[in-house]
Amino acid sequence: MYNPSSLKAEEFINHEEILETLAYADANKDNMELIDSILEKAKERKGLNHREASVLLACDNKEKIEEMYALAQQIKQDFYGNRIVMFAPLYLSNYCINGCVYCPYHISNKHIARKKLTQEEIKREVIALQDMGHKRLALEAGEDPKNNPIEYILESIKTIYSIKHKNGAIRRVNVNIAATTVEEYRMLKEAGIGTYILFQETYHKESYEKLHPYGPKSNYAYHTEAMDRAMEGGIDDVGLGVLFGLEMYRYEFAGLLMHAEHLEAAHGVGPHTISVPRIKRADDIDPTAFDNGIDDETFAKICALIRICVPYTGMIISTRESQAVREKVLKLGVSQISGASRTSVGGYCEDEPEEENSQQFDVSDNRTLDEVVKWLMEMGCIPSFCTACYREGRTGDRFMSLCKSGQIQNCCQPNALMTLKEYLMDYASEDTKRIGEALIKAELENIPKDKVKEICKENLIKIEQGIRDFRF
Ligand code: SAM
């Protein structure tokens, strides 16, 4: 039985409900009256449910798709302005005991180099990341209770937060590690993590079990209920995602929205972020071996619809995607992107020789952070290195209610400008600095409250004088 507030995976991600949703979407994909009414509802900016969203996804009328894109752009602008939050992944260890058939870290891969960073090596990686200008990381690790126990992850977080190199600091550590217990989630919360990220990979139980043939991750219910345990452990910012290409995208899309609806129904707070990874070539992984790859146009439509359906949820795009694809979806609602990422263990300090490859997947955007920052600004975006919300206790439903009332704009805009200013002062090339200074000057005018604008201006001067880490 479908029940969004149930804590049982098969009740809140209910297979029959998804099949009925897809049938309903197929039956109505040319029903313009219904589609118009759904688009009207979406204009209220309160989101759409999985059934409504699935009808829009099934609709292939060009004019209506253009309307969806225009609305996604408008919602993006209204909620996020032109700010784009920057981050980088940090791979701690690729030891893994799972059998995920799409991931080169699977235990039966004897070819890939297995690496695990020591605390000393973590320091070096973090300094390299700080020297680029990064302030926010997403920690990545395979699942291996012997090699990567929770104590290792916690110690690594402590090390990361402790490093202050020149003006550098990692101010927010998000964590993407395997599903775990309430007790371990509590430990992560106490260690000061930002978002707990866990991709569902696929919501289709039967496929999930085939794609995860052994190891702890093979338990569909345990994996799917992870966010409920994370919330029970006190983590109220959680990040969802599916790995597009594994299963039929329409199934995944409905499942993803049902998961978001479930978090809202069961815990009163929706997902903080949604990631949209697509499967990539990697060591012993050939993405063409999976039948459900999606083309760039479908991918863009999914991104636009996520923006429309969950307006308050951040959307993350990684360097799995090329510059061209990133450019397209940034406009349609993406709010966070990674830059200068390395998906190998230890990759920020040194390039690996071919025979020592530890990469999780091939990266399609190989630009430096400075190039990405400059590119964003040339498109009129504000690259933001802001990490203020969780440090000011604006997490979970507190964050959501500030978002919904629009008050968040008085924090996000000045914080984005002040952290960009830090980046320009400490790390940018001359060209980037020049473009950035002009952007900051123009964007100061878009801070709604005069008082906040004044304080922001004063802080920008203090940043020029060498003081760091201002925030609203
Ligand atoms: N071990 C943790 C887990 O199981 O959730 C951490 C996740 S892993 C380091 C990060 C994510 O990379 C996975 O959740 C998966 O979606 C994605 N991934 C794995 N193989 C991939 C591939 N070949 N191409 C693109 N993404 C991949």
Side-chain angles (χ1 to χ4, degrees):
M1 266 285 269
Y2 174 51
N3 177 2
S5 53
S6 162
L7 295 176
K8 283 203 184 110
E10 285 179 66
E11 292 180 3
F12 65 81
I13 304 293
N14 182 259
H15 180 61
E16 283 68 37
E17 172 62 21
I18 298 185
L19 294 185
E20 277 175 34
T21 297
L22 298 185
Y24 173 77
D26 275 336
N28 286 292
K29 75 189 199 30
D30 299 314
N31 180 346
M32 292 307 150
E33 211 174 305
L34 178 67
I35 288 166
D36 283 337
S37 72
I38 297 174
L39 282 168
E40 273 315 302
K41 183 178 170 197
K43 285 179 193 157
E44 292 167 23
R45 289 151 168 67
K46 291 192 184 121
L48 295 175
N49 65 38
H50 61 279
R51 284 214 173 200
E52 295 157 339
S54 295
V55 173
L56 295 188
L57 185 61
C59 166
D60 51 17
N61 179 298
K62 279 210 170 67
E63 219 173 280
K64 295 296 155 197
I65 294 175
E66 284 310 316
E67 266 185 61
M68 293 175 212
Y69 284 9
L71 182 57
Q73 284 189 34
Q74 195 55 53
I75 292 178
K76 160 94 192 290
Q77 189 57 36
D78 293 351
F79 284 83
Y80 300 87
N82 43 0
R83 297 177 298 277
I84 302 288
V85 169
M86 311 300 300
F87 77 99
L90 174 59
Y91 281 77
L92 294 180
S93 165
N94 66 355
Y95 283 92
C96 193
I97 58 168
N98 284 312
C100 315
V101 303
Y102 49 84
C103 178
Y105 291 175
H106 64 92
I107 193 170
S108 53
N109 185 355
K110 304 293 176 212
H111 173 262
I112 198 165
R114 298 287 170 179
K115 295 183 188 172
K116 171 188 168 182
L117 298 179
T118 62
Q119 298 306 308
E120 241 347 278
E121 286 166 335
I122 291 174
K123 266 189 201 161
R124 288 206 291 274
E125 288 283 284
V126 169
I127 288 173
L129 284 155
Q130 289 183 359
D131 279 346
M132 285 184 222
H134 277 296
K135 299 281 187 270
R136 174 188 292 244
L137 299 183
L139 289 196
E140 308 281 339
E143 180 167 18
D144 184 333
K146 279 212 182 91
N147 283 299
N148 324 326
I150 191 72
E151 291 73 21
Y152 170 69
I153 306 291
L154 296 171
E155 193 187 356
S156 305
I157 295 170
K158 212 169 165 188
T159 300
I160 294 166
Y161 278 135
S162 74
I163 300 163
K164 303 280 180 288
H165 173 70
K166 298 184 182 161
N167 279 336
I170 299 302
R171 299 173 181 156
R172 179 174 179 134
V173 176
N174 296 333
V175 172
N176 181 7
I177 59 166
T180 186
T181 59
V182 173
E183 201 190 353
E184 294 196 355
Y185 284 125
R186 196 162 284 130
M187 293 177 185
L188 287 170
K189 174 73 185 172
E190 279 160 15
I193 71 161
T195 311
Y196 172 65
I197 301 165
L198 181 70
F199 300 158
Q200 178 62 29
E201 320 299 5
T202 175
Y203 283 98
H204 192 289
K205 184 170 186 273
E206 217 181 292
S207 300
Y208 184 96
E209 286 166 353
K210 285 193 192 124
L211 291 159
H212 305 92
Y214 50 82
K217 195 166 170 175
S218 62
N219 185 336
Y220 175 83
Y222 189 74
H223 188 81
T224 311
E225 293 160 8
M227 295 314 191
D228 302 286
R229 291 194 301 280
M231 290 205 166
E232 203 186 324
I235 297 175
D236 48 7
D237 283 347
V238 298
L240 304 180
V242 289
L243 186 54
F244 284 104
L246 299 178
E247 240 305 330
M248 199 174 75
Y249 71 88
R250 297 176 56 208
Y251 192 101
E252 304 293 25
F253 179 72
L256 186 61
L257 289 181
M258 283 164 83
H259 202 170
E261 286 163 31
H262 159 68
L263 294 176
E264 186 87 50
H267 307 283
V269 48
H272 190 68
T273 56
I274 289 180
S275 299
V276 286
R278 283 195 283 186
I279 191 159
K280 296 277 304 176
R281 185 169 299 283
D283 189 66
D284 67 343
I285 307 297
D286 174 7
T288 60
F290 299 86
D291 298 334
N292 294 295
I294 49 172
D295 58 28
D296 292 349
E297 210 39 63
T298 309
F299 184 66
K301 193 172 175 195
I302 289 171
C303 292
L305 286 176
I306 290 176
R307 179 44 58 245
I308 291 174
C309 297
V310 278
Y312 310 106
T313 297
M315 200 183 340
I316 302 180
I317 194 135
S318 73
T319 54
R320 288 178 185 86
E321 299 299 334
S322 65
Q323 175 177 342
V325 170
R326 279 159 49 107
E327 193 158 327
K328 184 168 183 138
V329 295
L330 272 175
K331 298 192 182 92
L332 296 174
V334 163
S335 56
Q336 283 192 33
I337 68 167
S338 48
S341 304
R342 294 276 185 279
T343 67
S344 50
V345 181
Y348 292 107
C349 281
E350 45 196 62
D351 288 334
E352 291 180 321
E354 187 72 13
E355 63 286 2
E356 262 182 45
N357 168 37
S358 69
Q359 263 200 154
Q360 197 190 16
F361 50 81
D362 287 358
V363 161
S364 294
D365 185 340
N366 285 301
R367 290 172 297 168
T368 63
L369 185 60
D370 193 67
E371 286 167 336
V372 174
V373 166
K374 181 162 169 263
W375 161 75
L376 285 170
M377 296 192 302
E378 282 170 343
M379 289 189 296
C381 300
I382 310 171
S384 171
F385 292 87
C386 177
T387 54
C389 272
Y390 96 105
R391 296 166 79 208
E392 289 294 320
R394 293 191 293 264
T395 61
D397 53 356
R398 255 202 90 206
F399 170 80
M400 289 294 170
S401 64
L402 279 169
C403 255
K404 290 178 188 174
S405 68
Q407 286 182 53
I408 198 84
Q409 304 300 343
N410 274 309
C411 302
C412 294
Q413 183 78 357
N415 287 341
L417 298 181
M418 293 188 299
T419 55
L420 174 61
K421 177 78 179 180
E422 288 186 340
Y423 176 83
L424 299 179
M425 296 297 298
D426 293 338
Y427 309 104
S429 64
E430 278 311 308
D431 236 15
T432 304
K433 198 168 172 188
R434 187 179 41 78
I435 299 169
E437 293 294 353
L439 183 79
I440 291 175
K441 199 163 166 227
E443 287 292 341
L444 269 169
E445 299 315 314
N446 294 330
I447 296 175
K449 268 195 194 151
D450 286 341
K451 178 85 190 132
V452 175
K453 194 190 300 183
E454 276 322 300
I455 298 174
C456 180
K457 280 184 184 167
E458 288 164 19
N459 289 346
L460 288 169
I461 293 168
K462 289 183 188 155
I463 293 170
E464 283 187 359
Q465 293 163 347
I467 307 173
R468 296 287 174 271
D469 203 12
F470 294 100
R471 61 178 183 266
F472 288 95

